[in-house]
Every structure is written in structure tokens, then in C-alpha cells.
Amino acid sequence: MRNINVGLAGFVEQAEADGWELVPTVSCAASPSAHVTKDAFERIVKVMVDGIKAAGPLDAVYLDLHGAMVTEHLDDGEGEVLARVRRVIGTDLPLVVSLDLHANVTPQMVEHADALIAYRTYPHIDMADTGRAAARHLAMLLRTKQRLAKAFRQLPFLIPISWQCTGDQPCKSIYRKLAALERDAVPTLSFAPGFPAADFFDCGPSVFAYGKTQADADAAADEMASLVIGHESDFDGRIYTPDEGVRHAIELATRASKPIVHRRHPGQSGRRRRFRHHRHAARAGPQQRRQGRDRRDLRSGLRQGRACRRRRRHRHACARRQVGHPGDAPYKESFVVENLSDGKFVAAGAYYGGRDMDMGPSACLRIADVRVVVSSHRAQLADQSMYRYVGIEPTEQSILVNKSSVHFRADFEPIAEKLIICAAPGAMPADPAALPWTRLRPGLRIKPNGPPSFPKPNRVQHLLQPDNRHAHHRPHRRLCDELTAIRRDLHAHPEIGFEEVRTSGIVADKLAQWGIDVHRGLGGTGVVGVLKGKGSGTGVSACAPTWMRCRWKRIPT
């Protein structure tokens, strides 16, 4: 895990340079798709947690997570990972996490980590740099032996993936301002635009800051949140339809000296494969050479390809694939098989950063003047070598059609005359407002300047499902789960009466995190929280006072 562009690699390099002893547990990854299965989540997290338990005395823990995982049984996958790790290591050991720029950050994630540090580039060319930043932040925590104050702000609208690119406005200026706000009083500040495809309460963009004082953290988080909200209209840009995009690309190519890069959204490598853009390109006629890329199962296609190789005289294959999207008919056509490949190559561009790739058996298919790269395994087209490995030189083409959201820009923008953003059918539409949301937090706008979400699920049908019986009370359930975890932690660390220093601190910190005015030290370890109401009344208080009393008693064993 070295010399490649991933967070863990950057952390390892920085840690080794600082002379730290590293104890690895587990590393695994998958392309964005549907829910992580309960079996996969539980087995992988068990390996991680058991590895931490078996590591012996530790000084700190670092995790390189994505931040937008939803599992079959958990809305907040990373929040649960952090909670389980925290239960193992206790509250005193520093826990620092690097996150993807698309993280849907939750209160539980913020609570359990001493620092969350997100990427600042999309395409993600700073993944390794973020790992290094996490190592430096962890070194600061170990050196000063101080915990930083946290500030977390969830923003009121979803941001389409296409407009999260940090090379364009408004993200370009937002991240420039973010870097300027970091200083000694605020060592790290992050803005995560979110992953607008996870239908749960905490989906959406967020800002999180860590400061020497609570006032420092709050001021930085509030300034960043206001800046992003002020750019709401700038996140609502134009996306071409397939027909519009193909016509526009062909028109531009007639006078371009470099390739027109026609980018197909979505970039997430889910299970639905799409030939629609190639159908549009082939239908447009032979005026220009056009190259496309798709990834689909070759178990049938390459069987024909191998047969063609043996016959030599009839180098044709058929693409007969049901696209799987309503209203999109199967694409049936005969192609010339120009090249075959075992799918192994090195992706040397800025995004993959020299990673060894294995796309499985692959082919270059041609129909008229349109060539399509077809592979067995799925990966986002973010490197020029993903054309070259089947014999296509991308710099020599008039038009390139890439299946990618933004990551392709790191390696293709330098060779492009013009980039065109174009929609494609599938599970991840370019416009988040097109998704059938049912569980977002009320009031969250489902696109920039769009309508607010007011989840209205079919409650009868929904509640009949055992796992969803209390889904309409998800925020309350999350609070109950959080309080249960606190209670279990307190019982695991008993203290004698009038010496409950740790217990008192946890209760006071949690009340303060919820925005309650806290008074500490009453009678030694007593805590009082004052819950203030809003509104004004005449004659009679608009909000009657509420008293809550609890007592903790610890018995030594």
C-alpha cells in the first residue's frame, strides 16, 4: 500500500517517515453500487475490530473510509464502524479518519472520531495527500495531548455529482476559501458535497471543523456553510440529453484540433450497462471518427470474439444486451472485432496514480466509424490507458465518449478541446430530483433551488416489513441507539459516588453538543443542563420550564 493515490497509502508513507510502528488490520474496496450486504459488512468489520483488539497497546487509530456507505441493515455504515472501533479503544485514544469528498457525514461519525478529514479534489487526485494530512493531524493530537472542539453543519440542499467538480466554479472558489480559513486555531476544516443517491435522513452536503475552542470551530463552520449556501444557484447547471450531446459534439469536432470529450453521466459503476450513447453515435452517421467505452459482461460477447479470432475471415461479434432501464430497448447490432486484450495494464494518470488494472477479457468493437471498448470488469474510465490497452490512441480521435462523472477530467481535460456533460439512463441520474426519495430529512431540497423533501412513504406497506417497523421514527431511533451506547459505556467504566469525574464529563459534553446550556461542578461532579425555549409571550411565558433529573451511582467491583 505505497506509491498509489489512495488515502491509506499516503498515511503509510507519512507515518513511516515519522518513524511510527504500523499495525495493519484490513483493506478492501468496491465500486459504488447498491447496499453493502449485511454479511459482507459484518465479516469485514469483525476482521477490523478483532485486529485492533489483538494489536496490543496502541497510541492511536487511523481509518481510511468513504463516508457514504449504506448497508442492508444500517443507514449509517461508517457511523457504525466508528462506534464499534470506539467501543474497543475507549474514549481516550485518538481516532482520525480520512473521507471521500462525497461522504454523507452523520452526527454519529462526528461524535466518535477525533477528526474527519475529507478530500478536496474531484477528480480525487488528492486521496494520498488526504492520508498524509490525517497523519500530520494525528501527530499533532499525540504531541499536544489535547482534544479539539468540533463543529458540524448539514446544508439544506442536495448537490448533483456533475457540479461537485473542484476544477470548475463554484467548488473551485469554495475550496480555495476553505484552505484560507485553516490556521493554528482551526487546524482542519472540510466540506463534503455528499453522495446524492442514498435515501436516508443524513444524506447531503456538510461542513465540519475542528478548532482550539468551540468558538473557533463554530465560526469556521458557519462561514463555510454560508459560503456554500450562497452558491446554491451555481450548482444548478445544464446537462445535455444523449441526442443533444452527440449533435453538439459532432458540430464542434468539425473545427476542433483536439478531441471533444463527451462525458456520460452517471459515472458510478453499477450493474446496469448502457449502450444508448453508442446507439446515438452510430445513428448520427459517419461524418467523424468517434470512440466510446462501455463495460459489460463478456461471457457471451468474447465467446464470439474468440471464435472470430480462430476464423480470422469473419471478425464480427454481436452486442445483444437488455439495458435494464425502463423505456430503453435492447441494443442489437453486429460489430467488427478489431482487437482483444487480457485487460491488464497500468493506469498512469493522475487519478489512478500508477495503479495496476485488471479489466478482464476485453475487446475493441467497431460499427461504421464508432469504436467501443468492452470489458469484463467495471471501473470508471478515468485514464487514457483505458483506451490504449485495446489499441485505441485517444489523442488521435475526434470524439471520445467516456462513462464517468468527473474523475475522467484528471487525465482527459489536458487533451480535450471541449468537455460536454451528457445524461444517461440508469440507477444514478444526473439530476437527483429524478430519484424517488422517501426518507430524506424533511425540508432538504432535493436539488439546488429545488422543492423540499417531505417524505411520504406508503406507511402500511413499509411498516409491514420487519426491518422497517420504526423507520418513520428514524431520527428518534438513532437518538435511542446513541443513548444506549452511552449507557453501556458508562456501565463499562464504573466510578464511586462523588468521584464520577469521567461520567460527569461525558454527560456534560453530550448536553453541550446538543446545544443545551451546561453548568458543571455542582456538588463536585454534578451537572445541570438548561433547556431554553423559543418564542415570546405576553403576560405568560411562551415556554414553561422543563426539569429533568437523573442520578448515577457507581458500585466498585
Side-chain angles (χ1 to χ4, degrees):
M1 191 62 67
R2 294 172 178 82
N3 302 318
I4 58 174
N5 183 35
V6 298
L8 188 56
F11 183 90
V12 168
E13 292 167 11
Q14 185 66 45
E16 289 182 335
D18 292 341
W20 295 357
E21 178 186 354
L22 299 176
V23 184
T25 56
V26 64
S27 175
C28 53
S31 294
S33 189
H35 298 75
V36 176
T37 65
K38 179 177 180 179
D39 175 67
F41 177 87
E42 294 297 340
R43 284 193 291 120
I44 293 168
V45 175
K46 185 177 188 303
V47 172
M48 178 193 301
V49 173
D50 288 350
I52 294 172
K53 288 179 181 177
L58 296 170
D59 296 302
V61 172
Y62 163 73
L63 299 179
D64 182 21
L65 304 176
H66 183 277
M69 173 171 50
V70 177
T71 77
E72 290 177 336
H73 61 310
L74 298 166
D75 284 343
D76 182 9
E78 280 88 356
E80 179 64 19
V81 170
L82 291 171
R84 295 186 189 186
V85 170
R86 182 56 81 186
R87 284 198 291 269
V88 170
I89 67 175
T91 59
D92 296 331
L93 214 65
L95 173 56
V96 173
V97 182
S98 59
L99 294 175
D100 194 286
L101 176 141
H102 306 301
N104 289 323
V105 180
T106 69
Q108 187 178 20
M109 293 166 63
V110 175
E111 176 191 357
H112 292 300
D114 289 289
L116 303 172
I117 302 176
Y119 307 159
R120 297 182 178 185
T121 62
Y122 185 33
H124 304 323
I125 59 175
D126 69 331
M127 290 186 285
D129 288 339
T130 304
R132 296 185 189 98
R136 291 192 296 269
H137 189 83
L138 185 53
M140 183 267 292
L141 294 179
L142 292 171
R143 184 177 62 254
T144 62
K145 301 186 184 303
Q146 293 181 344
R147 296 292 177 89
L148 298 178
K150 308 172 185 179
F152 176 53
R153 306 288 186 266
Q154 291 178 306
L155 307 184
F157 59 92
L158 296 180
I159 300 176
I161 286 284
S162 299
W163 306 111
Q164 295 183 13
C165 176
T166 56
D168 291 339
Q169 300 297 351
C171 280
K172 186 175 183 178
S173 60
I174 288 173
Y175 279 98
R176 187 183 299 122
K177 178 65 173 178
L178 181 147
L181 287 175
E182 285 188 334
R183 56 193 187 279
D184 183 60
V186 184
T188 185
L189 172 64
S190 292
F191 162 49
F195 188 68
D199 192 9
F200 80 115
F201 189 86
D202 290 308
C203 178
S206 61
V207 170
F208 33 106
Y210 299 86
K212 293 293 181 66
T213 68
Q214 191 63 53
D216 291 329
D218 286 337
D222 288 339
E223 184 168 354
M224 276 305 304
S226 296
L227 178 64
V228 176
I229 292 170
H231 280 289
E232 182 171 0
S233 296
D234 298 325
F235 285 110
D236 192 15
R238 179 182 180 183
I239 298 175
Y240 289 89
T241 66
D243 273 327
E244 291 172 339
V246 169
R247 287 196 298 268
H248 188 42
I250 292 174
E251 192 275 328
L252 290 174
T254 60
R255 56 181 185 275
S257 60
K258 294 189 293 185
I260 305 298
V261 179
H262 183 282
R263 187 263 284 171
R264 296 167 39 192
H265 185 96
Q268 286 61 44
S269 299
R271 291 187 175 275
R272 290 181 177 175
R273 293 76 165 182
R274 303 159 190 87
F275 270 100
R276 171 176 283 190
H277 279 69
H278 307 311
R279 180 190 295 121
H280 285 275
R283 192 172 63 200
Q287 296 94 332
Q288 297 289 329
R289 288 180 55 123
R290 291 174 290 278
Q291 311 302 326
R293 179 172 184 91
D294 220 306
R295 298 156 185 80
R296 55 188 290 274
D297 188 358
L298 291 184
R299 281 174 290 188
S300 60
L302 281 191
R303 275 201 296 271
Q304 293 205 33
R306 287 193 291 270
C308 296
R309 204 176 216 181
R310 288 194 294 270
R311 293 198 297 267
R312 295 286 179 183
R313 291 181 301 123
H314 305 288
R315 295 172 61 85
H316 291 77
C318 257
R320 305 178 188 275
R321 185 78 181 176
Q322 172 67 50
V323 178
H325 187 76
D328 197 17
Y331 186 44
K332 299 179 181 180
E333 193 54 80
S334 295
F335 292 84
V336 174
V337 181
E338 291 198 333
N339 281 301
L340 297 174
S341 169
D342 63 3
K344 296 180 179 179
F345 58 96
V346 175
Y351 174 69
Y352 285 115
R355 193 177 306 179
D356 291 327
M357 305 293 287
D358 184 358
M359 303 302 296
S362 305
C364 172
L365 308 181
R366 179 176 62 81
I367 174 173
D369 59 353
V370 177
R371 288 174 174 79
V372 183
V373 185
V374 189
S375 61
S376 296
H377 302 157
R378 295 184 296 273
Q380 206 167 152
L381 198 158
D383 201 283
Q384 296 178 40
S385 61
M386 300 176 87
Y387 283 109
R388 293 188 179 112
Y389 86 104
V390 291
I392 296 174
E393 175 49 52
T395 60
E396 296 176 358
Q397 312 311 317
S398 299
I399 299 173
L400 297 169
V401 179
N402 288 7
K403 182 184 174 220
S404 176
S405 52
V406 172
H407 290 312
F408 78 99
R409 297 179 67 143
D411 207 30
F412 285 88
E413 198 158 20
I415 69 168
E417 182 90 14
K418 174 79 174 178
L419 301 179
I420 298 175
I421 302 171
C422 190
M428 176 67 178
D431 182 1
L435 289 169
W437 304 103
T438 62
R439 298 176 57 220
L440 296 177
R441 60 185 178 273
L444 179 71
R445 294 188 284 282
I446 58 177
K447 64 177 293 185
N449 297 319
S453 75
F454 293 99
K456 297 179 181 179
N458 182 335
R459 290 187 60 190
V460 175
Q461 181 179 7
H462 192 59
L463 297 179
L464 287 176
Q465 302 177 28
D467 290 342
N468 293 328
R469 198 162 295 150
H470 303 291
H472 59 300
H473 290 312
R474 191 74 60 175
H476 306 80
R477 183 178 179 180
R478 186 178 65 198
L479 177 60
C480 290
D481 291 343
E482 184 179 2
L483 292 175
T484 300
I486 294 172
R487 175 177 58 81
R488 289 173 178 170
D489 175 68
L490 295 179
H491 279 278
H493 299 84
E495 296 176 297
I496 298 173
F498 299 103
E499 296 181 11
E500 311 96 329
V501 176
R502 179 179 180 273
T503 301
S504 175
I506 291 174
V507 172
D509 290 343
K510 179 55 61 178
L511 292 174
Q513 182 181 329
W514 292 336
I516 296 174
D517 188 12
V518 176
H519 301 270
R520 308 174 189 239
L522 282 79
T525 56
V527 175
V528 171
V530 180
L531 186 62
K532 298 180 179 179
K534 295 182 179 180
S536 59
T538 56
V540 180
S541 173
C543 179
T546 300
W547 291 84
M548 294 180 291
R549 179 180 180 272
C550 65
R551 182 177 66 175
W552 49 74
K553 180 184 290 184
R554 299 298 187 188
I555 302 175
T557 58

